Amino acid sequence: MKDTLKSILERHHLSDEATSIIEKENLLPLGLLNRLHSNYAKSSGILESSKRMFDTRNHYSGLKGFREIIEILNNHGVDIGFIQERELFILVYRFLATKFVLNAINWQNFENDSLFQLVFPQPGMIHPHTVQAYNEAKTEEAKKTLIINYIKKNTNPHDGKQQLNKPWFENEEGELVILEGSQHKYPQCQLIFDQTTQSCFSFCTYCFRHAQVRGDEDIFNQLDIKPVHDYLKKHKEVTDMLLTGGDAGYMPYERLRDYTLPLIQDPELIHIKSLRIGSRALSYQPEMFLTKDYKRILDLFKTLTDHGVQVVWMSHFSTPREVLNPATIAAIRRLRLYGAVVKSQSPMMNHISLFTDKNGQVDIERSAQNWIDLGNVFAMLSVGFHSIYCARPTGEHHYFTVPLSEINKVFNKIYRSLPSINRPSRYITMTSSAGKTSILGTVEINGQKAFALKFNESRNMEWMDQVFLAKYDELENTVENLIPFEGEKHFYEDELIQIENDKLEALLKRMKE
């Protein structure tokens, strides 16, 4: 690689502070950059050099921010079109983008840029008849009513009956305490949606938690930390605290300290072995990690790991391009330098990380190659490939999904092409109220084709012990809609209904006492 590190950092406009940290901590060895770029030059932004369009602010938010972006693009001769349709999407789901991700988009070929698809509303996301009705609405009040009704009827904000996952307990005074910002669905892991993590650095167009970032009335929002610790003391089966949102990377140092230091200071919390942080900051705001101020959080991570608490930064990379830039590579290496484990889990989404040809058919080879390359990039950076999962039936699911039969073909190609140590840790998965169901593949029984399915998480964890079959369907895109291969119900369905009813009845009964 002929370029010096200094010239690479200058071309990417990294700050003097970030540059100093990168050089001092050896976060970007030229040998590593050379190997990454040489192997994945088509996806790599390491040697790119382009004028930065976006510098007026760190975040561009809502319609105002979107319109400011459009004005800047137009001033540079870029017209993305479909403005009214894109703005309707924003009114339903919101919009937010960092200057980092905006400057990372290849605006000379934005239609085919995965980051553009990831962050910008696209024509076709909202059904044409809704767009037409909105355009034909005579008054602003009529448009507002249409949007409210659309959110209620079409967006399915809490798929999988997530409200049932809200934990509760009785405190020492015998009072009922409901953790309004938490979910505890599977024994080992408790999710926390803290009040400081309700937003994101940028909004993904496929967001599965649009109710959170939109600020709906029924969002999960944890205000107080002490009840979380009190609950954990009563639930020794929990081993993992998962901070999520929104984006858990938003949590300020003081708040993170108050959540985590008791894990190593209070003997009653010694059963907590892992802290997971769910965040897209490595994709959307990697420069955040390359500051002197962030060292306080890194030192906290080091303290936790020195006391036997695994710190896992759960990133959500979908394409090699999101990773292959100097800021993200340096941020990953800095997290690892201070003891954090970096892993990635991400959905396979049409138009972003899964691709169709001109005839609308899934391009198996191109789609699989995206993930094969990503898996090998992870290996080169010592990032764990946790999982790939299917689009959840929420938001504009129709735009991002394809039939499970095609997804299965893509995943099979990925799995057999990667070396065993670089593969995802489980087969491709889809979430429902029952749990996380993996598609193991297909089998043929007495001349009939079937999907072989298996839970890797479930409301009753013993369901994970059983493989079950569903009738093969060329068109179905949602696992829970698959028809049992034999009988009228899957083996777990009656018990699932009982579990859901029992959870609701137990809480209602206690609230009446």
Side-chain angles (χ1 to χ4, degrees), residues 65-342:
F66 177 76
R67 289 168 178 169
E68 186 175 347
I69 291 169
I70 298 305
E71 183 179 355
I72 293 170
L73 290 173
N74 289 342
N75 289 339
H76 285 82
V78 179
D79 180 10
I80 66 172
F82 303 97
I83 300 302
Q84 193 166 11
E85 188 170 348
R86 298 183 199 272
E87 290 192 352
L88 172 58
F89 181 96
I90 292 169
L91 291 171
V92 174
Y93 293 104
R94 307 297 184 260
F95 175 83
L96 181 65
T98 60
K99 70 176 182 181
F100 176 86
V101 75
L102 291 172
N103 285 316
I105 293 170
N106 178 2
W107 290 106
Q108 302 308 310
N109 187 28
F110 63 86
E111 299 97 332
N112 297 313
D113 191 294
S114 58
L115 289 171
F116 179 72
Q117 289 280 341
L118 184 60
V119 175
F120 277 77
Q122 303 297 326
M125 284 185 174
I126 293 183
H127 285 289
H129 59 81
T130 301
V131 176
Q132 182 179 352
Y134 180 79
N135 292 338
E136 292 176 354
K138 302 299 183 183
T139 65
E140 289 301 315
E141 188 63 30
K143 290 182 177 181
K144 184 177 179 180
T145 300
L146 183 147
I147 291 169
I148 292 172
N149 290 337
Y150 186 84
I151 292 172
K152 290 179 178 178
K153 296 177 181 179
N154 297 87
T155 65
N156 191 24
H158 295 299
D159 66 301
K161 301 183 180 179
Q162 295 176 51
Q163 293 293 337
L164 288 176
N165 304 334
K166 195 174 290 186
W168 56 275
F169 67 101
E170 291 183 357
N171 63 18
E172 294 180 354
E173 289 74 35
E175 300 169 329
L176 174 67
V177 179
I178 301 175
L179 298 183
E180 298 290 349
S182 179
Q183 292 189 36
H184 187 195
K185 182 177 181 180
Y186 311 122
Q188 300 91 344
C189 186
Q190 182 180 358
L191 281 66
I192 298 163
F193 301 74
D194 188 68
Q195 63 176 347
T196 64
T197 66
Q198 296 299 311
S199 189
C200 297
F201 294 95
S202 296
F203 293 156
C204 304
T205 47
Y206 63 73
C207 182
F208 300 150
R209 292 179 177 167
H210 45 89
Q212 293 290 132
V213 299
R214 190 169 51 229
D216 291 4
E217 293 180 0
D218 55 352
I219 64 171
F220 295 88
N221 189 15
Q222 191 62 39
L223 301 179
D224 299 320
I225 298 175
K226 184 177 182 301
V228 173
H229 292 144
D230 290 343
Y231 179 83
L232 287 172
K233 292 175 184 178
K234 293 176 178 290
H235 289 268
K236 302 298 183 181
E237 76 277 13
V238 179
T239 61
D240 290 29
M241 174 189 285
L242 170 53
L243 303 178
T244 184
D247 195 305
Y250 249 113
M251 187 176 290
Y253 166 77
E254 292 78 11
R255 189 76 170 175
L256 183 61
R257 176 198 62 200
D258 292 347
Y259 266 112
T260 60
L261 282 186
L263 304 182
I264 61 177
Q265 294 172 343
D266 191 331
E268 291 190 69
L269 294 173
I270 200 167
H271 59 288
I272 304 301
K273 303 171 183 67
S274 294
L275 169 70
R276 305 188 210 173
I277 298 174
S279 172
R280 259 197 179 272
L282 287 169
S283 296
Y284 292 149
Q285 192 78 356
E287 295 147 313
M288 174 185 80
F289 301 90
L290 305 174
T291 63
K292 293 177 182 178
D293 186 60
Y294 200 78
K295 190 174 183 298
R296 292 191 301 168
I297 291 179
L298 295 171
D299 287 337
L300 179 59
F301 291 166
K302 186 68 168 60
T303 299
L304 291 169
T305 59
D306 285 346
H307 285 78
V309 176
Q310 177 183 218
V311 177
V312 183
W313 193 277
M314 296 300 302
S315 57
H316 303 276
F317 295 116
S318 302
T319 65
R321 183 165 177 78
E322 291 174 59
V323 186
L324 294 176
N325 66 83
T328 297
I329 295 168
I332 289 171
R333 284 176 54 85
R334 197 174 198 215
L335 282 169
R336 294 187 61 248
L337 185 65
Y338 284 83
V341 176
V342 181

Side-chain angles (χ1 to χ4, degrees), residues 38-64:
S38 296
N39 277 282
Y40 304 105
K42 289 183 179 180
S43 301
S44 174
I46 294 171
L47 297 183
E48 283 185 356
S49 179
S50 60
K51 185 178 180 181
R52 287 163 67 96
M53 292 190 200
F54 301 95
D55 270 319
T56 55
R57 61 182 75 248
N58 289 324
H59 289 85
Y60 296 77
S61 177
L63 276 180
K64 181 180 178 181

